[in-house]
Amino acid sequence: QVQLLESGGGSVQAGGSLTLSCVRSGYTHRSYCMGWFRQAPGKEREAVAYIDTSGSTSYADSVKGRFTISQDNAKNTVYLQMNSLRPEDTAMYYCAAAPGRTVATMTPDHNYWGRGTQVTVSS
């Protein structure tokens, strides 16, 4: 059974930094795409960043230059380093895993999901 466990959320002031982690277990697929999504109250879930088996990455325009996604395959962990945080980054952040996908084909559908970690940025 695939499980994704996020951690690292918290409350910071604008301009601050946080690093989110997502540890996956029970995942035996050889190729995959991992992603971070977020959902703010009253808004739809949106993609933040993706990374696939080849190491290719993709970012939402709103976080380019501020967020960095990376992975440590030995630890089965994906990270999201978030710098220069803004109040509009406030949301629940979810980790997702998509078997057989790449950054070019990743979608919010047919993924495994974690339960999320809350990020709150105050002005």
Side-chain angles (χ1 to χ4, degrees):
Q1 182 178 359
V2 175
Q3 290 188 328
L4 302 174
L5 182 61
E6 305 100 331
S7 63
S11 297
V12 297
Q13 290 193 331
S17 299
L18 285 172
T19 300
L20 306 183
S21 300
C22 172
V23 180
R24 65 179 183 270
S25 60
Y27 200 91
T28 59
H29 303 280
R30 295 181 62 183
S31 66
Y32 56 82
C33 186
M34 300 292 296
W36 287 97
F37 292 76
R38 66 186 181 187
Q39 187 168 19
K43 295 188 177 181
E44 293 187 356
R45 187 172 295 188
E46 63 174 355
V48 176
Y50 303 147
I51 186 166
D52 63 25
T53 313
S54 72
S56 296
T57 59
S58 178
Y59 296 92
D61 288 342
S62 59
V63 306
K64 281 181 181 177
R66 301 188 299 122
F67 290 11
T68 302
I69 189 170
S70 62
Q71 61 187 347
D72 184 335
N73 292 326
K75 296 182 178 180
N76 293 327
T77 301
V78 174
Y79 304 96
L80 185 68
Q81 174 68 43
M82 305 186 294
N83 298 326
S84 302
L85 282 161
R86 305 167 179 169
E88 53 263 40
D89 294 318
T90 295
M92 184 71 79
Y93 283 70
Y94 297 90
C95 177
R101 298 272 186 176
T102 67
V103 296
T105 60
M106 183 69 161
T107 72
D109 304 319
H110 310 298
N111 297 334
Y112 297 104
W113 292 94
R115 293 188 175 185
T117 185
Q118 178 68 38
V119 171
T120 302
V121 185
S122 58
S123 57

